[in-house]
Amino acid sequence: MLDNHSTLSEAKALIIQTTTPTIELAKLIAEKLVGESLAACVNLSAPSLSIYSWKDTLHSDEEYTLTIKTSTARQADCIARIQELHSYDVPEIIVLPIIGGSKQYLQWIADETR
């Protein structure tokens, strides 16, 4: 029987999440990452409200979340590029493991980020 699902030991893909203050910056980062083969795909969310503390002040700002699908091999380069392009002093950059999924989709991520 053909197994169409990958397990943690087989997966070599991950998700990086970041947020931006504008849709223009979100698009710029997404286009650069995909265009430079640092990511296979970037999804941009609708704006959401972020409430956070920065320099002892409570902030409430609209932000766009980027969900970036990339390979483990491109993780460091992808993070470095986000930091270069980002307008924040300390941008949110969170790496989430992909612990399984469609082998075909995970292979597509690997192929697109070579």
Side-chain angles (χ1 to χ4, degrees):
M1 184 165 112
L2 181 62
D3 178 12
N4 287 326
H5 302 286
S6 179
T7 63
L8 177 60
S9 62
E10 299 168 38
K12 293 189 170 83
L14 51 87
I15 291 173
I16 298 175
Q17 181 176 301
T18 192
T19 56
T20 64
T22 66
I23 191 67
E24 293 80 15
L25 181 58
K27 286 180 183 179
L28 173 71
I29 291 171
E31 289 170 357
K32 293 285 186 184
L33 295 179
V34 174
E36 296 170 12
S37 298
L38 297 173
C41 176
V42 180
N43 299 106
L44 309 180
S45 74
S48 62
L49 185 63
S50 292
I51 299 171
Y52 59 96
S53 177
W54 178 249
K55 297 185 178 180
D56 297 323
T57 304
L58 189 63
H59 293 264
S60 177
D61 295 313
E62 203 171 73
E63 292 185 305
Y64 297 83
T65 300
L66 287 76
T67 303
I68 303 157
K69 276 76 73 161
T70 190
S71 62
T72 55
R74 299 296 273 172
Q75 174 182 339
D77 292 335
C78 190
I79 289 171
R81 193 66 168 121
I82 293 166
Q83 290 172 320
E84 287 172 10
L85 296 167
H86 215 291
S87 63
Y88 290 164
D89 293 336
V90 181
E92 171 189 347
I93 300 175
I94 298 173
V95 178
L96 305 167
I98 295 175
I99 61 169
S102 158
K103 282 186 180 183
Q104 295 88 348
Y105 187 79
L106 296 176
Q107 184 61 53
W108 174 75
I109 292 173
D111 293 344
E112 293 298 314
T113 57
R114 285 204 169 116

